[in-house]
Amino acid sequence: METSTDRVLGNRLQLMQPRDGYRAAIDPVLLAAAVPAKSGERVLDLGCGVGTAALCLAGRVAGVAVHGIDLQPALVALAVRNAAANGLADRASFESGDLLGFKDRAFDHVLANPPYLARATASISPNPIKAMANVEGDAKLTDWVACAIAAAKDGGSVTFIHRADRAPELRACMMLGLGSLHLLPLLPRADAAAKRILLQGIKGAPAGFQECAPWPLHEADGTFTAATQAILRDAAALPLRAPA
């Protein structure tokens, strides 16, 4: 597999990833920024790929331990190499496996950037890496959410990034085991409809739902907003709720 090395978080983090097929964009960076992790806590990244979200979080929050699982061994191998290349091997671990069989139940936070497309309605790419990243396989969205909820401790957060048009489905799944849901619409620009959303819930919290003020990603001229630049270049957090 041919690879390239790219940099994120204002060159703080270097990532080796496949040159062809799925390549990490801003979604996993935004996802990592939304996780309210603190030093000493354990975080699980479901469908970790080359480790982008997990390593962004470990790079942003000192003392956080991250673990990732992905179905594709080749991507997991790159995630391990990326952790070492960024001096995070002592706090980042990755394994190849199916989330349908994942049994660890001791995480303070769980994050996921699952395939966005349901298989029944998707046009599947001939590139297997891209196909598995974009289109649901045996694990459907309900399975992703169920695994995330099961892996989180009581009081722990579960955070997903997904397509805006699947927000009602994602919300319904998360309501089955999480409370205090907070949804953040991510707008391409202030005058456009959301294409992505972040949705976060707390295990064991009372039922509830709040939609946060929309977050424009770009200015009218196509440049990132200052707030988005702070996340992508300065490793700022993207809190979905007020600090406890």
Side-chain angles (χ1 to χ4, degrees), residues 10-28:
N11 292 327
R12 291 173 175 80
L13 197 71
Q14 65 179 38
L15 292 172
M16 185 180 297
Q17 55 184 335
R19 186 175 295 277
D20 298 315
Y22 176 79
R23 293 174 59 78
I26 68 171
D27 288 7

Side-chain angles (χ1 to χ4, degrees), residues 83-165:
N86 289 282
L88 295 170
D90 60 332
R91 294 194 287 118
S93 60
F94 300 95
E95 67 174 284
S96 175
D98 191 334
L99 64 84
L100 292 173
F102 190 72
K103 300 299 183 184
D104 196 329
R105 302 290 186 260
F107 292 94
D108 299 284
H109 308 278
V110 182
L111 63 148
N113 179 19
Y116 288 159
L117 303 175
R119 180 169 291 274
T121 60
S123 176
I124 301 175
S125 169
N127 184 295
I129 294 176
K130 187 174 184 179
M132 293 182 72
N134 292 337
V135 182
E136 292 174 354
D138 292 338
K140 307 301 188 289
L141 183 57
T142 53
D143 299 311
W144 282 77
V145 175
C147 177
I149 293 172
K153 295 179 179 178
D154 285 342
S157 74
V158 172
T159 309
F160 274 65
I161 190 167
H162 217 296
R163 285 168 53 119
D165 60 359

Side-chain angles (χ1 to χ4, degrees), residues 1-238:
M1 176 174 54
E2 190 175 358
T3 62
S4 65
T5 300
D6 304 283
R7 293 185 177 272
V8 297
L9 297 184
N11 292 327
R12 291 173 175 80
L13 197 71
Q14 65 179 38
L15 292 172
M16 185 180 297
Q17 55 184 335
R19 186 175 295 277
D20 298 315
Y22 176 79
R23 293 174 59 78
I26 68 171
D27 288 7
V29 183
L30 296 171
L31 172 64
V35 178
K38 300 176 182 177
S39 180
E41 293 182 329
R42 295 183 72 220
V43 181
L44 172 65
D45 182 1
L46 291 177
C48 63
V50 300
T52 306
L55 296 175
C56 282
L57 181 57
R60 176 172 67 84
V61 184
V64 163
V66 297
H67 182 70
I69 179 172
D70 197 278
L71 198 57
Q72 301 189 67
L75 298 187
V76 171
L78 289 177
V80 171
R81 294 175 65 180
N82 286 334
N86 289 282
L88 295 170
D90 60 332
R91 294 194 287 118
S93 60
F94 300 95
E95 67 174 284
S96 175
D98 191 334
L99 64 84
L100 292 173
F102 190 72
K103 300 299 183 184
D104 196 329
R105 302 290 186 260
F107 292 94
D108 299 284
H109 308 278
V110 182
L111 63 148
N113 179 19
Y116 288 159
L117 303 175
R119 180 169 291 274
T121 60
S123 176
I124 301 175
S125 169
N127 184 295
I129 294 176
K130 187 174 184 179
M132 293 182 72
N134 292 337
V135 182
E136 292 174 354
D138 292 338
K140 307 301 188 289
L141 183 57
T142 53
D143 299 311
W144 282 77
V145 175
C147 177
I149 293 172
K153 295 179 179 178
D154 285 342
S157 74
V158 172
T159 309
F160 274 65
I161 190 167
H162 217 296
R163 285 168 53 119
D165 60 359
R166 297 191 72 182
E169 180 185 358
L170 178 60
R171 178 182 172 185
C173 293
M174 292 180 74
M175 286 176 64
L176 297 177
L178 302 170
S180 186
L181 297 183
H182 282 59
L183 182 147
L184 177 65
L186 299 171
L187 314 183
R189 57 183 188 277
D191 61 350
K195 291 188 176 181
R196 298 282 188 270
I197 56 98
L198 284 161
L199 185 59
Q200 183 179 91
I202 304 298
K203 189 171 180 177
F209 174 79
Q210 178 177 332
E211 183 167 328
C212 307
W215 185 286
L217 295 170
H218 299 92
E219 302 286 2
D221 64 2
T223 60
F224 286 115
T225 63
T228 303
Q229 287 180 1
I231 295 167
L232 301 179
R233 300 178 186 176
D234 303 325
L238 177 55

